[in-house]
Amino acid sequence: MNEVSLNTIRKYIEFNAKENPQSDFVSCPHTNNKISNKQLKINLDKINFYLVNKKKQKKNSIICTLIENSLSSIQLMLGIMYSGMIQVPLNLVAGEEQLSYIVNHSESKIIFASSSNLDLAKKIVNKISSDIEIVEIDKNNFIEKIDNEFEIIKENTNYNDNALLMYTSGTTGKPKGVMLSHENILSGGKNVQISHELKSKDKALCVLPLYHINGLIVTVIGPLVSQSSLVICEKFSTTNFWKYISKFKCTWFSVVPTIISSLLNKYSYDEINSLDLSFVRFGRSASAALAPETHKNFEQKFKIKMIETLGLTESCAPILSNPLPPKKNKYGSSGIPYGNEVIIVDSKFKEISRNTVGQICVRGKNVMKGYYKNLEETKKSFYKDWFLTGDLG
């Protein structure tokens, strides 16, 4: 099967299960469980049957999830997309008002919530007039509790069908629902694969939440499209970060500048020297600018190359990345385009010369279809087929 025919989440899951059935896709340090590519396909077929026959969901049904990083959350997320439905990941720390707006705006009729988030789900639903079903699931063994009697349902999904509806933070107004297709999501994952030269032997440590685009695309879809694997952590822990990398022999990780600072402050040189980190190829930083001094201090202290990147929800994470060694890295820079085109324009949308500040614009298969039920904002966000990021570069 060639790259062109691998154009939906399901097709990649099926391909990996056929080509590398016994290879692990995801491991969980909290449960000491792991799921192979073969088992993942079986589990997602099971979820598909459950959603269609038990929960009466159908193609393009919009399904909200309110779950911390876990084996259940990653499989439910992929299972929704695998089934031709649309996942709406809810930010666990966004607050009741914002979450009730998102659920109401999305027009979803069902929320899957882990036991620890059940009360929050009830508060959200209480603020909405329409009937919404809440399904409580165990974060660790949701799949095991579904009836084992299931049939494989034939795929009815196209590359341009929506797979993910992810809402932006809404710091400057109401959150906007970013519509992302299977093609968008897989292209974002491929851009991660290309920029970081991921191979099947690579293993990512995922500590960022899957309800953000960074954690979801970079450390789940990146491994999926590169036929590699990941270790999923419920959340970042300074105490366990290097322990998990060492135990599972992770070759790379994705973090944000606050985590980098936390790691710098936590570990002494003696503690670092006691760790075996020889198999780590690189770390990557995104979501905010990484101060050059912090960047240099991390590399000096841990002897690990840190790759600074830039990405957006609307572009399925990365649009720019610094290259891996031996190519040149530039401190204080987000890097160069991989897998998409990037230009800098002035206020009249004319491309400007080097060393001139302007707005960053991106074009590519990873760029969103538009904002859900918001044609006005969608039109304002594009000039021809270029997405206007609003960021300066």
Side-chain angles (χ1 to χ4, degrees):
M1 192 177 286
N2 59 38
E3 283 285 319
V4 175
S5 60
L6 296 174
N7 59 10
T8 65
I9 293 292
R10 178 163 179 166
K11 286 186 174 68
Y12 260 102
I13 299 288
E14 292 175 336
F15 177 79
N16 291 350
K18 182 181 178 182
E19 295 296 314
N20 304 294
Q22 303 310 319
S23 296
D24 292 338
F25 175 66
V26 59
S27 304
C28 174
H30 313 295
T31 61
N32 288 318
N33 288 333
K34 55 189 180 182
I35 298 167
S36 67
N37 286 321
K38 179 182 178 181
Q39 190 61 51
L40 180 66
K41 183 194 178 300
I42 293 170
N43 290 352
L44 300 195
D45 279 323
K46 193 174 173 181
I47 291 173
N48 189 5
F49 186 83
Y50 165 79
L51 291 173
V52 171
N53 290 278
K54 303 297 183 183
K55 293 302 171 185
K56 308 305 177 187
Q57 302 298 297
K58 55 185 185 297
K59 182 179 177 179
N60 295 326
S61 286
I62 296 172
I63 300 174
C64 292
T65 57
L66 191 67
I67 313 169
E68 59 270 60
N69 283 14
S70 60
L71 289 179
S72 292
S73 72
I74 190 172
Q75 291 182 95
L76 181 56
M77 174 193 81
L78 291 172
I80 292 167
M81 300 178 189
Y82 184 93
S83 304
M85 300 165 194
I86 302 166
Q87 191 221 5
V88 183
L90 300 177
N91 186 330
L92 300 182
V93 296
E96 295 168 33
E97 292 296 330
Q98 193 171 102
L99 292 177
S100 60
Y101 170 82
I102 289 169
V103 174
N104 191 47
H105 185 266
S106 73
E107 300 179 89
S108 173
K109 299 302 178 187
I110 188 167
I111 301 175
F112 284 87
S114 59
S115 301
S116 60
N117 292 298
L118 187 60
D119 286 345
L120 177 57
K122 290 176 180 177
K123 290 175 181 176
I124 292 167
V125 170
N126 285 339
K127 293 179 180 289
I128 302 169
S129 56
S130 57
D131 289 335
I132 296 170
E133 180 184 4
I134 298 174
V135 182
E136 181 182 2
I137 69 170
D138 187 300
K139 68 177 181 180
N140 296 321
N141 62 0
F142 162 62
I143 312 301
E144 288 78 1
K145 293 188 177 182
I146 300 177
D147 189 348
N148 275 319
E149 296 295 321
F150 71 95
E151 298 171 10
I152 296 175
I153 298 173
K154 187 178 179 182
E155 182 177 26
N156 184 29
T157 309
N158 299 310
Y159 72 95
N160 59 350
D161 287 339
N162 285 337
L164 181 68
L165 179 58
M166 183 172 278
Y167 281 78
T168 57
S169 58
T171 50
T172 56
K174 295 288 187 185
K176 296 193 289 280
V178 179
M179 295 187 293
L180 299 168
S181 67
H182 286 261
E183 181 179 55
N184 294 152
I185 290 168
L186 293 172
S187 297
K190 288 173 190 173
N191 292 353
V192 174
Q193 178 188 8
I194 295 165
S195 58
H196 300 329
E197 301 173 19
L198 299 182
K199 304 290 190 289
S200 60
K201 67 180 183 299
D202 279 307
K203 185 180 290 185
L205 183 71
C206 174
V207 297
L208 300 177
L210 300 186
Y211 53 73
H212 283 319
I213 202 72
N214 190 339
L216 193 161
I217 298 296
V218 175
T219 43
V220 176
I221 306 301
L224 178 70
V225 300
S226 60
Q227 289 83 59
S228 57
S229 62
L230 71 137
V231 175
I232 188 162
C233 300
E234 185 172 319
K235 58 185 177 181
F236 168 71
S237 162
T238 49
T239 303
N240 293 325
F241 186 82
W242 296 119
K243 288 180 185 176
Y244 290 156
I245 282 182
S246 181
K247 177 181 178 180
F248 291 93
K249 292 185 164 46
C250 297
T251 60
W252 67 284
F253 55 86
S254 181
V255 290
V256 295
T258 51
I259 288 178
I260 293 171
S261 296
S262 180
L263 292 170
L264 276 169
N265 294 330
K266 166 75 175 174
Y267 288 87
S268 67
Y269 279 99
D270 286 342
E271 288 174 307
I272 295 164
N273 292 333
S274 69
L275 299 167
D276 179 14
L277 304 175
S278 57
F279 34 78
V280 183
R281 293 203 295 124
F282 66 93
R284 77 186 295 280
S285 177
S287 300
L290 179 61
E293 197 63 27
T294 305
H295 193 159
K296 292 172 187 175
N297 288 342
F298 181 91
E299 292 182 338
Q300 181 184 11
K301 193 169 192 176
F302 294 103
K303 305 294 187 288
I304 293 172
K305 193 68 185 172
M306 181 59 65
I307 306 297
E308 186 167 11
T309 67
L310 174 68
L312 307 155
T313 303
E314 290 89 343
S315 64
C316 280
I319 60 172
L320 299 171
S321 175
N322 275 272
L324 289 171
K327 294 175 183 174
K328 189 179 179 183
N329 246 264
K330 186 176 180 181
Y331 295 111
S333 168
S334 298
I336 57 177
Y338 284 92
N340 52 207
E341 300 172 77
V342 174
I343 59 171
I344 312 293
V345 300
D346 61 19
S347 58
K348 295 180 181 177
F349 307 113
K350 301 292 183 185
E351 190 170 357
I352 56 179
S353 59
R354 281 177 171 270
N355 300 317
T356 308
V357 176
Q359 183 177 189
I360 301 171
C361 302
V362 59
R363 178 171 67 183
K365 291 181 179 180
N366 54 313
V367 175
M368 70 166 185
K369 297 172 72 174
Y371 294 114
Y372 184 57
K373 298 195 301 188
N374 199 337
L375 187 59
E376 183 183 351
E377 280 297 324
T378 299
K379 285 181 177 179
K380 281 165 53 178
S381 298
F382 284 88
Y383 176 71
K384 296 183 178 178
D385 54 351
W386 290 95
F387 176 69
L388 310 172
T389 69
D391 292 326
L392 297 178

